[in-house]
Amino acid sequence: MTDPSLPARPRPQSLTDLFVSFTLLALQGFGGVLAVVQREIVERKQWLTHEEFLEDWAVAQIMPGPNVVNLSMMIGGRYFGLAGALSALAGMLAVPLVLVLLLALVHARFVDHPGVAGALRGMAAVSAGMIGATGLKLSLALSRNPMPQLWCWALCGTGFVLVALLRVPLAYVLFGVGGLACFLTYRRLRP
């Protein structure tokens, strides 16, 4: 079932397409899937625009559970209702779960090897770089936000300072700064 209000554009062809697409996304997501999801869903498959991705990602952030799992269910539900949400969820979890269990067994066996520790540090650095690059790409969508760009950048900076420097729990920042952003945007859009 597809929402008739959605504009015609590329979309998942079937539940199998959703399952396979999200399985492949999950298998690419070592150390964080955000960069991969944004590239695949927005840039390559074009199932969402940058703006839709940002809006859905914001909602996925404030829902309980892993952000990208929430996002996959929202995208699946957008195109195929409950069946799509469940198919996308299964794609995100089924095969990666088996791999994670196998990797956990291997890691437990070689945890003391210095090469394993070095590899994990290297993956963490790459993951941080990918997340930073995705943030820069998504910042382009701020130019089309109803709020003035200065306000957007001030909210971005506030969020960064609160989370990265002051170590405020993410939930407080999301509800506090995110709630303020929603309120300011609502005021700008109100006739």
Side-chain angles (χ1 to χ4, degrees), residues 37-162:
V37 171
Q38 189 275 334
R39 185 186 68 229
E40 290 293 317
I41 298 297
V42 175
E43 296 175 12
R44 202 171 76 74
K45 293 183 179 284
Q46 299 179 346
W47 290 351
L48 297 177
T49 64
H50 283 286
E51 292 77 19
E52 290 170 334
F53 181 80
L54 282 174
E55 291 169 6
D56 286 358
W57 185 255
V59 172
Q61 289 267 0
I62 61 171
M63 294 169 55
N67 306 338
V68 76
V69 171
N70 297 337
L71 181 66
S72 70
M73 291 180 64
M74 292 168 63
I75 293 172
R78 175 186 297 239
Y79 289 106
F80 295 103
L82 179 61
L86 294 175
S87 179
L89 175 65
M92 286 299 294
L93 299 179
V95 176
L97 175 64
V98 172
L99 286 177
V100 165
L101 292 174
L102 292 174
L103 288 173
L105 292 173
V106 172
H107 181 263
R109 175 133 169 78
F110 298 105
V111 69
D112 295 328
H113 192 281
V116 172
L120 291 176
R121 278 196 302 274
M123 283 188 234
V126 170
S127 175
M130 290 171 59
I131 291 171
T134 301
L136 288 174
K137 279 185 190 175
L138 293 176
S139 68
L140 297 175
L142 292 178
S143 64
R144 293 182 290 278
N145 191 294
M147 280 195 298
Q149 279 200 26
L150 183 61
W151 295 9
C152 294
W153 287 110
L155 291 170
C156 289
T158 302
F160 176 80
V161 167
L162 291 174

